[in-house]
Amino acid sequence: MDQVAALTFVFLAGLVTAIATGVGAIPFFFVSDVSDRWNVALWGVASGIMVSASLFGLVFEGLANGTPLQLGIGMLAGVALVLVAHHVIEGAEVNPKQYEEADFRKLLLILGILTVHSFPEGVAVGVSFADLGLDGGFQLFGFVVPLLAVFMTIAISIHNIPEGLAISIPLRSMDVSNWKLVWWAIFSSLPQPIGAVIAFYFVRIAREFLPFGFGFAAGAMVFLVLTEFIPEALELGKRLPRGGRVELLAGLVAGFAVMVPLAFI
């Protein structure tokens, strides 16, 4: 298989997931605000999708291609990446209630934080394409595409929609226009196609690192859910009955319900 064509195909798959982030801004074409109840539920959906994709996609494939030890080392490396990213941006988190007074520099800071967090998701997409062109997939645009790659691309794309909404809410309070909301949401996920290409290239030239790659992506994504998504949902749900836990749980169940059947097709 032509290497440039394969890299281009993986980049486009990552670009699809980035574009999906822009879908999260679409509600603001029709309404001026999104309720906390819906916001919490959508963060729950995103969390359920990420965890189910990690467990039933990446972890299963990691164990099929290597040992539990290799998978575990990769997962620890993924967690380490998120911890380092948190350390780099420590103290940079801004309360959404303060966004009304945000200037352009603060806007870039907000988007930068979200952009750093999107890179591991691109890695997950890239690793899932490791068997591109090999037996066991199906034909798409002249490529034999692994089923895992389709699963992960769909999972990350669906997950990105609530992230796009989360990005759009504070920008809306700054009177950013609707189409610019879409653009900034997509912009925050542009590291995903870059991460996808880097991860894909690495596991193709060093396939012995494939189980580590699966573990790396799974560890980073699950840790992001535990340290970012769920705390964010609970923070948004403080004013709701029972602290928004009912909406969060409903979202988690919905996320699993969407992705688990796809994992076993």
Side-chain angles (χ1 to χ4, degrees):
M1 176 191 293
D2 181 72
Q3 185 78 343
V4 174
L7 290 171
T8 302
F9 189 85
V10 173
F11 179 86
L12 291 175
L15 190 60
V16 167
T17 67
I19 292 173
T21 314
V23 176
I26 298 300
F28 290 103
F29 282 77
F30 307 99
V31 299
S32 59
D33 194 17
V34 176
S35 70
D36 287 344
R37 188 179 300 276
W38 274 106
N39 213 349
V40 171
L42 287 171
W43 275 112
V45 171
S47 298
I49 287 170
M50 291 282 275
V51 172
S52 58
S54 297
L55 295 179
F56 301 110
L58 297 171
V59 170
F60 277 18
E61 284 296 316
L63 292 174
N65 286 273
T67 66
L69 177 61
Q70 291 173 318
L71 181 72
I73 292 173
M75 293 183 75
L76 288 175
V79 170
L81 171 69
V82 177
L83 287 173
V84 169
H86 281 185
H87 178 72
V88 170
I89 61 175
E90 188 175 345
E93 297 288 355
V94 183
N95 189 318
K97 299 301 182 185
Q98 300 173 349
Y99 287 167
E100 289 86 347
E101 305 299 327
D103 56 17
F104 185 69
R105 180 176 296 180
K106 188 174 289 185
L107 169 62
L108 291 180
L109 174 62
I110 295 164
L111 293 167
I113 293 167
L114 294 161
T115 299
V116 168
H117 290 171
S118 75
F119 187 79
E121 296 152 16
V123 171
V125 173
V127 171
S128 71
F129 274 90
D131 289 335
L132 181 67
L134 305 180
D135 293 336
F138 67 96
Q139 290 286 337
L140 182 65
F141 302 122
F143 292 88
V144 180
V145 182
L147 291 176
L148 176 64
V150 176
F151 174 68
M152 289 306 303
T153 303
I154 292 173
I156 300 299
S157 295
I158 297 175
H159 143 269
N160 276 355
I161 295 174
E163 281 204 348
L165 177 63
I167 293 166
S168 299
I169 289 173
L171 298 182
R172 182 66 167 184
S173 70
M174 296 165 59
D175 294 324
V176 175
S177 67
N178 289 337
W179 284 110
K180 285 185 178 179
L181 290 180
V182 174
W183 157 245
W184 285 119
I186 294 173
F187 176 82
S188 73
S189 289
L190 288 182
Q192 289 181 10
I194 297 170
V197 169
I198 293 172
F200 171 74
Y201 182 75
F202 184 78
V203 297
R204 289 285 279 205
I205 64 174
R207 289 190 66 84
E208 63 270 21
F209 287 102
L210 186 55
F212 296 101
F214 282 123
F216 179 88
M221 292 208 301
V222 172
F223 194 68
L224 272 176
V225 168
L226 296 177
T227 60
E228 293 289 328
F229 294 2
I230 291 179
E232 175 71 16
L234 293 175
E235 180 67 25
L236 289 168
K238 278 184 176 179
R239 294 188 297 273
L240 299 176
R242 299 183 183 179
R245 291 178 178 83
V246 173
E247 289 80 4
L248 175 59
L249 180 60
L252 283 165
V253 171
F256 271 89
V258 168
M259 297 314 301
V260 171
L262 291 176
F264 291 99
I265 292 177

